[in-house]
Amino acid sequence: MPAEIKTVTDIHKIGQAQWDKCAGSDNPFVSFAFLSAMEDSASTCAENGWQPFHLVLKNEDGLVIGIVPLYVKAHSYGEYVFDWGWAEAYERAGGQYYPKLQSAVPFSPVPGPRLLVANDHPDPDSVRRMLIEGLSILPEKLGMATLHVTFCSGDESKQMRDAGFLTRTGLQYHWHNRGYQTFDDFLGALNSRKRKNLRKERKQVLEAGYTFKALRGDDLKPEHWDRFYHFYRDTSDRKWGQAYLTRQFFELLHERLRDRTVLVAAFHDDEMVAGALNLIGSETLYGRNWGTMDRAPLLHFETCYYQAIDIAIEHGLKTVEAGAQGEHKIQRGYEPVITHSAHLIADPGLRRAIAQFLAQEQDHIAQDQEFIKSEHSPYRQDQG
Protein backbone atom coordinates (compact mmCIF):
# COMPACT_ATOMS: atom_id res chain seq x y z
CA MET A 1 0.00 0.00 0.00
CA PRO A 2 1.16 3.58 -0.65
CA ALA A 3 2.54 5.72 2.10
CA GLU A 4 0.65 8.74 0.80
CA ILE A 5 -1.93 9.89 -1.69
CA LYS A 6 -2.54 13.61 -1.95
CA THR A 7 -3.43 16.48 -4.28
CA VAL A 8 -1.18 19.39 -5.24
CA THR A 9 -2.09 22.70 -6.82
CA ASP A 10 1.30 23.35 -8.42
CA ILE A 11 2.94 20.91 -10.83
CA HIS A 12 6.38 22.10 -9.70
CA LYS A 13 5.75 20.55 -6.28
CA ILE A 14 5.97 17.19 -8.05
CA GLY A 15 8.90 18.12 -10.28
CA GLN A 16 9.81 17.25 -13.84
CA ALA A 17 11.81 14.10 -13.13
CA GLN A 18 9.08 12.38 -11.12
CA TRP A 19 6.28 13.63 -13.37
CA ASP A 20 7.90 12.48 -16.61
CA LYS A 21 8.89 9.15 -15.07
CA CYS A 22 5.13 8.55 -14.86
CA ALA A 23 4.05 10.37 -18.02
CA GLY A 24 6.60 8.80 -20.36
CA SER A 25 7.63 10.29 -23.68
CA ASP A 26 5.00 8.99 -26.12
CA ASN A 27 2.41 11.75 -25.73
CA PRO A 28 3.73 15.32 -25.29
CA PHE A 29 0.39 16.58 -23.98
CA VAL A 30 0.78 14.81 -20.64
CA SER A 31 4.44 15.79 -20.29
CA PHE A 32 5.73 18.07 -17.56
CA ALA A 33 6.93 20.51 -20.24
CA PHE A 34 3.48 20.99 -21.74
CA LEU A 35 1.39 21.06 -18.56
CA SER A 36 3.88 23.24 -16.68
CA ALA A 37 3.80 25.71 -19.59
CA MET A 38 0.03 25.84 -19.07
CA GLU A 39 0.42 26.63 -15.39
CA ASP A 40 3.42 28.95 -15.59
CA SER A 41 1.71 31.06 -18.27
CA ALA A 42 -1.51 31.33 -16.19
CA SER A 43 -3.43 29.59 -18.98
CA THR A 44 -4.64 27.11 -16.35
CA CYS A 45 -5.44 28.85 -13.08
CA ALA A 46 -8.31 29.37 -10.66
CA GLU A 47 -9.16 32.72 -12.23
CA ASN A 48 -10.15 31.17 -15.55
CA GLY A 49 -11.80 28.09 -14.07
CA TRP A 50 -8.93 25.59 -14.47
CA GLN A 51 -7.36 25.23 -11.02
CA PRO A 52 -4.60 22.57 -11.05
CA PHE A 53 -5.36 19.85 -8.48
CA HIS A 54 -3.15 16.93 -9.49
CA LEU A 55 -3.48 13.61 -7.68
CA VAL A 56 -0.16 12.13 -6.56
CA LEU A 57 0.51 8.62 -5.26
CA LYS A 58 3.72 7.83 -3.34
CA ASN A 59 5.09 4.53 -2.15
CA GLU A 60 6.37 3.75 1.34
CA ASP A 61 9.77 5.21 0.38
CA GLY A 62 8.25 8.55 -0.58
CA LEU A 63 8.76 8.06 -4.33
CA VAL A 64 6.04 9.10 -6.75
CA ILE A 65 4.61 5.99 -8.42
CA GLY A 66 1.43 7.44 -9.94
CA ILE A 67 -0.10 10.75 -11.03
CA VAL A 68 -3.43 11.92 -12.42
CA PRO A 69 -3.44 15.36 -14.14
CA LEU A 70 -6.46 16.91 -12.45
CA TYR A 71 -8.25 20.25 -12.30
CA VAL A 72 -11.04 21.88 -10.34
CA LYS A 73 -13.39 23.31 -12.97
CA ALA A 74 -15.83 26.17 -12.49
CA HIS A 75 -17.46 25.55 -15.90
CA SER A 76 -17.38 23.10 -18.82
CA TYR A 77 -15.47 25.17 -21.37
CA GLY A 78 -12.38 23.80 -23.08
CA GLU A 79 -13.23 20.10 -22.61
CA TYR A 80 -14.80 18.80 -25.87
CA VAL A 81 -16.78 16.10 -24.03
CA PHE A 82 -19.94 18.06 -23.48
CA ASP A 83 -21.86 17.85 -20.20
CA TRP A 84 -23.75 21.15 -20.34
CA GLY A 85 -27.07 19.25 -20.45
CA TRP A 86 -26.14 17.25 -17.35
CA ALA A 87 -25.25 20.43 -15.47
CA GLU A 88 -28.45 22.20 -16.50
CA ALA A 89 -30.67 19.26 -15.51
CA TYR A 90 -28.97 18.83 -12.15
CA GLU A 91 -29.19 22.51 -11.29
CA ARG A 92 -32.85 22.64 -12.36
CA ALA A 93 -33.43 19.86 -9.84
CA GLY A 94 -31.80 21.95 -7.12
CA GLY A 95 -28.29 20.48 -7.22
CA GLN A 96 -24.94 22.25 -7.57
CA TYR A 97 -23.00 20.83 -10.53
CA TYR A 98 -20.02 23.20 -10.30
CA PRO A 99 -17.28 23.17 -9.21
CA LYS A 100 -16.38 19.75 -10.57
CA LEU A 101 -13.22 17.70 -10.93
CA GLN A 102 -11.74 17.11 -14.37
CA SER A 103 -8.82 14.96 -15.48
CA ALA A 104 -7.93 16.19 -18.94
CA VAL A 105 -5.44 17.97 -21.14
CA PRO A 106 -6.76 21.54 -20.90
CA PHE A 107 -8.30 22.94 -24.08
CA SER A 108 -7.10 19.91 -26.07
CA PRO A 109 -9.26 16.96 -27.22
CA VAL A 110 -6.20 14.71 -27.29
CA PRO A 111 -6.66 11.02 -26.40
CA GLY A 112 -3.96 9.61 -24.17
CA PRO A 113 -3.15 8.26 -20.72
CA ARG A 114 -4.67 9.90 -17.66
CA LEU A 115 -3.62 7.35 -15.01
CA LEU A 116 0.13 7.90 -15.19
CA VAL A 117 2.33 5.18 -13.68
CA ALA A 118 6.07 5.20 -12.96
CA ASN A 119 7.84 3.39 -15.79
CA ASP A 120 9.82 1.13 -13.46
CA HIS A 121 6.92 -0.05 -11.31
CA PRO A 122 6.53 -3.84 -11.45
CA ASP A 123 2.72 -3.83 -11.23
CA PRO A 124 1.22 -0.90 -13.21
CA ASP A 125 -2.35 -2.21 -12.88
CA SER A 126 -2.16 -2.08 -9.10
CA VAL A 127 -1.01 1.55 -9.26
CA ARG A 128 -3.87 2.42 -11.61
CA ARG A 129 -6.33 0.76 -9.21
CA MET A 130 -4.97 2.87 -6.34
CA LEU A 131 -5.20 6.03 -8.45
CA ILE A 132 -8.82 5.18 -9.28
CA GLU A 133 -9.53 4.61 -5.58
CA GLY A 134 -8.00 8.00 -4.84
CA LEU A 135 -10.14 9.66 -7.50
CA SER A 136 -13.26 7.91 -6.19
CA ILE A 137 -13.08 9.44 -2.73
CA LEU A 138 -12.43 13.00 -3.88
CA PRO A 139 -15.97 14.17 -4.81
CA GLU A 140 -17.45 13.20 -1.42
CA LYS A 141 -14.42 14.52 0.44
CA LEU A 142 -14.62 17.87 -1.35
CA GLY A 143 -18.41 18.09 -1.48
CA MET A 144 -18.53 17.96 -5.29
CA ALA A 145 -21.15 16.23 -7.42
CA THR A 146 -19.02 14.85 -10.24
CA LEU A 147 -15.56 13.84 -11.44
CA HIS A 148 -14.71 13.37 -15.11
CA VAL A 149 -11.76 11.70 -16.87
CA THR A 150 -11.89 12.67 -20.53
CA PHE A 151 -10.09 11.31 -23.61
CA CYS A 152 -8.47 8.54 -21.56
CA SER A 153 -7.31 5.26 -23.09
CA GLY A 154 -9.74 2.41 -23.70
CA ASP A 155 -7.99 0.25 -21.08
CA GLU A 156 -8.22 3.02 -18.50
CA SER A 157 -11.90 3.50 -19.30
CA LYS A 158 -12.57 -0.22 -18.75
CA GLN A 159 -10.68 -0.24 -15.44
CA MET A 160 -12.66 2.78 -14.22
CA ARG A 161 -15.93 1.22 -15.36
CA ASP A 162 -15.08 -1.86 -13.30
CA ALA A 163 -14.61 0.50 -10.34
CA GLY A 164 -18.10 1.99 -10.74
CA PHE A 165 -17.51 4.92 -13.11
CA LEU A 166 -19.90 5.52 -15.98
CA THR A 167 -18.13 5.34 -19.32
CA ARG A 168 -18.78 7.35 -22.46
CA THR A 169 -17.59 7.07 -26.03
CA GLY A 170 -17.19 9.62 -28.80
CA LEU A 171 -15.87 9.86 -32.34
CA GLN A 172 -12.80 11.54 -33.73
CA TYR A 173 -11.25 11.30 -37.17
CA HIS A 174 -7.63 10.19 -37.45
CA TRP A 175 -5.40 9.56 -40.46
CA HIS A 176 -3.51 6.26 -40.50
CA ASN A 177 -0.21 5.77 -42.27
CA ARG A 178 -0.30 2.43 -44.09
CA GLY A 179 3.40 2.50 -44.87
CA TYR A 180 3.20 5.38 -47.34
CA GLN A 181 6.48 6.81 -48.60
CA THR A 182 4.91 9.82 -50.35
CA PHE A 183 1.63 11.72 -50.47
CA ASP A 184 1.02 10.13 -53.89
CA ASP A 185 1.25 6.71 -52.22
CA PHE A 186 -1.56 7.79 -49.90
CA LEU A 187 -3.60 9.11 -52.83
CA GLY A 188 -3.17 5.75 -54.54
CA ALA A 189 -5.06 4.10 -51.66
CA LEU A 190 -8.16 6.27 -52.29
CA ASN A 191 -10.94 5.55 -54.72
CA SER A 192 -10.60 7.43 -57.98
CA ARG A 193 -13.21 10.10 -57.24
CA LYS A 194 -11.73 11.05 -53.88
CA ARG A 195 -8.19 10.92 -55.26
CA LYS A 196 -9.15 13.34 -58.02
CA ASN A 197 -10.84 15.68 -55.55
CA LEU A 198 -7.84 15.84 -53.20
CA ARG A 199 -5.46 16.56 -56.07
CA LYS A 200 -7.81 19.29 -57.26
CA GLU A 201 -8.01 20.90 -53.79
CA ARG A 202 -4.25 20.97 -53.33
CA LYS A 203 -3.73 22.36 -56.83
CA GLN A 204 -6.27 25.16 -56.27
CA VAL A 205 -4.50 26.33 -53.12
CA LEU A 206 -1.09 26.38 -54.80
CA GLU A 207 -2.44 28.13 -57.89
CA ALA A 208 -3.96 30.80 -55.63
CA GLY A 209 -0.42 31.71 -54.64
CA TYR A 210 -0.11 30.11 -51.20
CA THR A 211 3.11 28.54 -50.00
CA PHE A 212 3.72 26.53 -46.83
CA LYS A 213 6.54 25.99 -44.38
CA ALA A 214 6.71 23.46 -41.54
CA LEU A 215 8.58 25.51 -38.94
CA ARG A 216 10.37 23.75 -36.11
CA GLY A 217 13.16 24.42 -33.63
CA ASP A 218 15.39 27.35 -34.60
CA ASP A 219 13.28 28.02 -37.71
CA LEU A 220 10.43 29.13 -35.45
CA LYS A 221 11.00 32.81 -34.62
CA PRO A 222 9.18 35.15 -32.20
CA GLU A 223 7.54 36.90 -35.16
CA HIS A 224 5.96 33.62 -36.24
CA TRP A 225 4.55 33.09 -32.76
CA ASP A 226 3.32 36.70 -32.63
CA ARG A 227 1.48 36.23 -35.89
CA PHE A 228 0.09 32.86 -34.91
CA TYR A 229 -1.12 34.20 -31.55
CA HIS A 230 -2.96 36.92 -33.44
CA PHE A 231 -4.68 34.22 -35.50
CA TYR A 232 -5.44 32.18 -32.39
CA ARG A 233 -7.02 35.14 -30.59
CA ASP A 234 -9.15 36.04 -33.57
CA THR A 235 -10.41 32.45 -34.02
CA SER A 236 -11.05 31.95 -30.30
CA ASP A 237 -12.88 35.23 -29.89
CA ARG A 238 -15.12 34.53 -32.88
CA LYS A 239 -15.92 30.88 -32.06
CA TRP A 240 -15.81 30.59 -28.28
CA GLY A 241 -15.77 34.12 -26.93
CA GLN A 242 -12.59 33.65 -24.89
CA ALA A 243 -8.98 32.81 -25.62
CA TYR A 244 -7.56 30.90 -22.65
CA LEU A 245 -4.00 30.47 -23.86
CA THR A 246 -1.76 33.43 -23.16
CA ARG A 247 1.04 34.63 -25.42
CA GLN A 248 3.49 33.44 -22.78
CA PHE A 249 2.19 29.88 -23.16
CA PHE A 250 3.45 29.74 -26.75
CA GLU A 251 6.79 31.19 -25.67
CA LEU A 252 7.16 28.51 -22.99
CA LEU A 253 5.99 25.81 -25.38
CA HIS A 254 8.74 26.79 -27.79
CA GLU A 255 11.28 26.90 -24.98
CA ARG A 256 10.35 23.52 -23.48
CA LEU A 257 9.13 21.48 -26.47
CA ARG A 258 10.90 23.17 -29.38
CA ASP A 259 11.91 19.93 -31.10
CA ARG A 260 8.44 18.43 -30.78
CA THR A 261 6.57 21.51 -31.97
CA VAL A 262 5.76 22.07 -35.65
CA LEU A 263 3.99 25.20 -36.82
CA VAL A 264 2.64 24.88 -40.34
CA ALA A 265 2.69 28.44 -41.65
CA ALA A 266 0.83 29.50 -44.78
CA PHE A 267 2.17 32.48 -46.71
CA HIS A 268 0.72 34.67 -49.44
CA ASP A 269 2.87 37.37 -51.03
CA ASP A 270 5.50 36.65 -48.35
CA GLU A 271 3.00 37.41 -45.57
CA MET A 272 2.05 34.74 -43.04
CA VAL A 273 -1.73 34.47 -43.36
CA ALA A 274 -2.55 31.22 -41.48
CA GLY A 275 -1.02 28.69 -39.15
CA ALA A 276 -1.64 25.26 -37.64
CA LEU A 277 0.12 24.19 -34.46
CA ASN A 278 1.14 20.52 -34.17
CA LEU A 279 3.04 18.48 -31.60
CA ILE A 280 5.00 15.34 -32.43
CA GLY A 281 4.63 12.21 -30.31
CA SER A 282 6.52 8.95 -30.62
CA GLU A 283 4.08 7.66 -33.26
CA THR A 284 1.55 10.45 -33.76
CA LEU A 285 1.33 13.99 -35.09
CA TYR A 286 -1.18 15.90 -32.98
CA GLY A 287 -2.94 18.83 -34.60
CA ARG A 288 -3.87 21.38 -31.97
CA ASN A 289 -4.73 24.99 -32.84
CA TRP A 290 -5.50 26.64 -36.14
CA GLY A 291 -6.02 30.27 -37.03
CA THR A 292 -6.10 32.62 -39.99
CA MET A 293 -7.05 36.09 -41.12
CA ASP A 294 -7.60 34.77 -44.65
CA ARG A 295 -10.97 33.18 -45.42
CA ALA A 296 -9.83 31.63 -48.70
CA PRO A 297 -11.58 28.37 -49.63
CA LEU A 298 -9.61 25.18 -48.95
CA LEU A 299 -6.85 26.95 -47.02
CA HIS A 300 -7.92 25.22 -43.80
CA PHE A 301 -7.85 21.76 -45.38
CA GLU A 302 -4.37 22.26 -46.80
CA THR A 303 -2.85 23.84 -43.69
CA CYS A 304 -4.34 21.48 -41.13
CA TYR A 305 -4.90 18.16 -42.91
CA TYR A 306 -2.77 17.72 -46.03
CA GLN A 307 0.33 19.39 -44.65
CA ALA A 308 -0.04 17.24 -41.52
CA ILE A 309 -0.12 14.11 -43.67
CA ASP A 310 3.02 15.28 -45.47
CA ILE A 311 4.80 15.73 -42.12
CA ALA A 312 3.65 12.35 -40.81
CA ILE A 313 4.90 10.56 -43.92
CA GLU A 314 8.21 12.42 -43.84
CA HIS A 315 8.82 11.47 -40.19
CA GLY A 316 7.44 7.93 -40.42
CA LEU A 317 4.62 8.62 -37.97
CA LYS A 318 1.74 6.18 -37.81
CA THR A 319 -1.14 8.55 -37.11
CA VAL A 320 -2.38 12.11 -37.48
CA GLU A 321 -4.90 13.25 -34.89
CA ALA A 322 -6.51 16.43 -36.15
CA GLY A 323 -8.65 17.37 -33.16
CA ALA A 324 -12.33 17.06 -32.38
CA GLN A 325 -15.37 16.63 -34.61
CA GLY A 326 -15.30 17.35 -38.32
CA GLU A 327 -17.00 14.82 -40.57
CA HIS A 328 -15.51 16.72 -43.50
CA LYS A 329 -12.23 15.02 -42.57
CA ILE A 330 -13.59 11.67 -43.79
CA GLN A 331 -13.43 12.68 -47.44
CA ARG A 332 -9.82 13.70 -46.91
CA GLY A 333 -8.60 10.32 -45.70
CA TYR A 334 -9.28 10.62 -41.97
CA GLU A 335 -11.14 7.67 -40.46
CA PRO A 336 -13.55 7.41 -37.48
CA VAL A 337 -11.97 6.31 -34.20
CA ILE A 338 -13.70 5.74 -30.87
CA THR A 339 -12.63 7.95 -27.95
CA HIS A 340 -13.25 7.21 -24.27
CA SER A 341 -14.10 9.02 -21.07
CA ALA A 342 -15.19 8.00 -17.56
CA HIS A 343 -17.49 9.83 -15.18
CA LEU A 344 -18.05 9.48 -11.44
CA ILE A 345 -21.50 10.80 -10.51
CA ALA A 346 -22.13 11.06 -6.78
CA ASP A 347 -25.88 11.81 -6.77
CA PRO A 348 -27.88 8.56 -7.34
CA GLY A 349 -30.67 10.28 -9.27
CA LEU A 350 -28.29 12.11 -11.59
CA ARG A 351 -26.27 8.93 -12.07
CA ARG A 352 -29.35 6.95 -13.16
CA ALA A 353 -30.36 9.63 -15.67
CA ILE A 354 -26.84 9.94 -17.12
CA ALA A 355 -26.40 6.15 -17.31
CA GLN A 356 -29.58 5.86 -19.38
CA PHE A 357 -28.47 8.69 -21.67
CA LEU A 358 -25.00 7.19 -22.16
CA ALA A 359 -26.36 3.75 -23.06
CA GLN A 360 -28.43 5.27 -25.87
CA GLU A 361 -25.61 7.57 -27.00
CA GLN A 362 -23.10 4.72 -27.13
CA ASP A 363 -25.35 2.66 -29.39
CA HIS A 364 -25.70 5.59 -31.80
CA ILE A 365 -21.96 6.25 -31.88
CA ALA A 366 -21.12 2.60 -32.59
CA GLN A 367 -23.67 2.57 -35.40
CA ASP A 368 -22.33 5.85 -36.79
CA GLN A 369 -18.78 4.52 -36.84
CA GLU A 370 -19.77 1.38 -38.74
CA PHE A 371 -21.97 3.33 -41.16
CA ILE A 372 -19.20 5.82 -41.93
CA LYS A 373 -16.68 3.05 -42.51
CA SER A 374 -18.98 1.09 -44.81
CA GLU A 375 -20.75 3.88 -46.70
CA HIS A 376 -18.46 6.92 -46.69
CA SER A 377 -14.91 5.62 -46.63
CA PRO A 378 -12.79 7.33 -49.32
CA TYR A 379 -10.50 4.32 -49.57
CA ARG A 380 -10.56 1.62 -52.21
CA GLN A 381 -12.23 -1.55 -50.99
CA ASP A 382 -8.92 -3.43 -50.94
CA GLN A 383 -7.49 -0.69 -48.68
CA GLY A 384 -10.19 -0.74 -46.02
Side-chain angles (χ1 to χ4, degrees):
M1 291 297 294
E4 183 180 29
I5 186 166
K6 65 177 183 179
T7 56
V8 300
T9 58
D10 182 348
I11 195 171
H12 292 280
K13 291 181 179 178
I14 303 169
Q16 182 167 3
Q18 294 195 90
W19 184 284
D20 283 342
K21 188 174 182 180
C22 296
S25 59
D26 290 343
N27 188 319
F29 286 89
V30 294
S31 69
F32 183 90
F34 183 86
L35 295 175
S36 67
M38 284 277 184
E39 293 185 27
D40 293 344
S41 65
S43 298
T44 49
C45 59
E47 288 73 21
N48 67 14
W50 281 87
Q51 170 62 55
F53 203 68
H54 309 304
L55 188 74
V56 183
L57 179 68
K58 294 184 178 181
N59 65 11
E60 60 276 9
D61 297 321
L63 299 176
V64 174
I65 59 172
I67 297 170
V68 180
L70 192 64
Y71 300 86
V72 175
K73 289 296 305 298
H75 49 67
S76 293
Y77 292 104
E79 295 171 11
Y80 300 91
V81 176
F82 302 112
D83 63 347
W84 296 106
W86 304 357
E88 183 180 351
Y90 191 53
E91 292 180 351
R92 274 203 313 266
Q96 183 176 338
Y97 195 81
Y98 303 106
K100 64 176 183 175
L101 290 161
Q102 187 87 24
S103 176
V105 176
F107 325 118
S108 302
V110 176
R114 300 293 180 262
L115 308 175
L116 312 181
V117 180
N119 56 21
D120 61 352
H121 197 278
D123 189 0
D125 277 343
S126 70
V127 176
R128 281 188 279 268
R129 284 194 295 271
M130 288 185 280
L131 290 172
I132 292 169
E133 289 173 11
L135 289 173
S136 297
I137 65 175
L138 280 178
E140 182 178 359
K141 184 177 180 180
L142 298 172
M144 296 183 186
T146 64
L147 180 148
H148 310 265
V149 183
T150 47
F151 296 105
C152 58
S153 72
D155 288 343
E156 290 174 331
S157 173
K158 182 180 183 301
Q159 201 164 356
M160 284 184 275
R161 183 188 66 205
D162 293 343
F165 285 62
L166 299 177
T167 55
R168 189 178 192 183
T169 55
L171 277 184
Q172 284 188 357
Y173 301 92
H174 300 173
W175 179 84
H176 301 288
N177 188 348
R178 294 175 169 87
Y180 309 126
Q181 299 300 307
T182 65
F183 195 89
D184 280 342
D185 288 346
F186 156 58
L187 290 178
L190 303 179
N191 64 51
S192 59
R193 187 166 64 88
K194 296 298 189 296
R195 181 165 60 247
K196 181 179 179 181
N197 183 64
L198 263 66
R199 282 189 172 129
K200 181 180 178 182
E201 288 187 349
R202 299 204 83 178
K203 184 179 179 182
Q204 282 183 242
V205 172
L206 294 176
E207 289 181 344
Y210 295 96
T211 58
F212 299 85
K213 294 180 182 178
L215 302 171
R216 185 179 178 186
D218 292 338
D219 292 333
L220 255 172
K221 307 296 184 185
E223 56 264 30
H224 298 130
W225 285 119
D226 288 340
R227 190 67 173 157
F228 179 73
Y229 186 65
H230 178 63
F231 300 153
Y232 162 73
R233 287 297 304 263
D234 177 74
T235 302
S236 298
D237 291 345
R238 281 188 294 105
K239 287 191 174 183
W240 301 293
Q242 182 174 358
Y244 286 98
L245 300 176
T246 64
R247 174 63 181 85
Q248 188 188 14
F249 166 76
F250 295 100
E251 181 179 333
L252 294 175
L253 181 71
H254 180 72
E255 176 186 306
R256 297 173 187 181
L257 283 169
R258 57 189 293 115
D259 292 329
R260 302 184 76 176
T261 301
V262 180
L263 181 65
V264 175
F267 295 85
H268 196 273
D269 294 332
D270 295 325
E271 179 186 7
M272 183 174 165
V273 296
L277 176 61
N278 303 267
L279 294 184
I280 299 177
S282 61
E283 297 184 339
T284 301
L285 183 73
Y286 299 92
R288 189 161 185 276
N289 298 104
W290 138 267
T292 183
M293 298 299 291
D294 189 327
R295 308 290 180 248
L298 307 178
L299 183 58
H300 174 254
F301 298 150
E302 178 65 34
T303 310
C304 296
Y305 305 148
Y306 302 148
Q307 290 288 321
I309 290 172
D310 279 335
I311 294 168
I313 292 173
E314 178 184 353
H315 292 277
L317 301 172
K318 294 181 178 180
T319 310
V320 175
E321 294 185 11
Q325 305 168 340
E327 291 188 11
H328 57 276
K329 297 172 187 171
I330 300 167
Q331 306 309 314
R332 292 163 179 89
Y334 289 71
E335 300 173 89
V337 173
I338 294 290
T339 60
H340 303 271
S341 61
H343 308 268
L344 188 64
I345 312 299
D347 184 275
L350 180 62
R351 178 184 169 87
R352 284 194 297 272
I354 290 176
Q356 183 178 9
F357 166 79
L358 291 179
Q360 296 172 349
E361 182 186 58
Q362 186 160 326
D363 287 342
H364 289 310
I365 286 173
Q367 292 170 11
D368 287 347
Q369 184 191 32
E370 289 305 312
F371 179 76
I372 290 167
K373 283 184 174 179
S374 61
E375 300 296 328
H376 293 290
S377 172
Y379 290 89
R380 303 194 325 257
Q381 289 188 358
D382 63 333
Q383 296 290 315

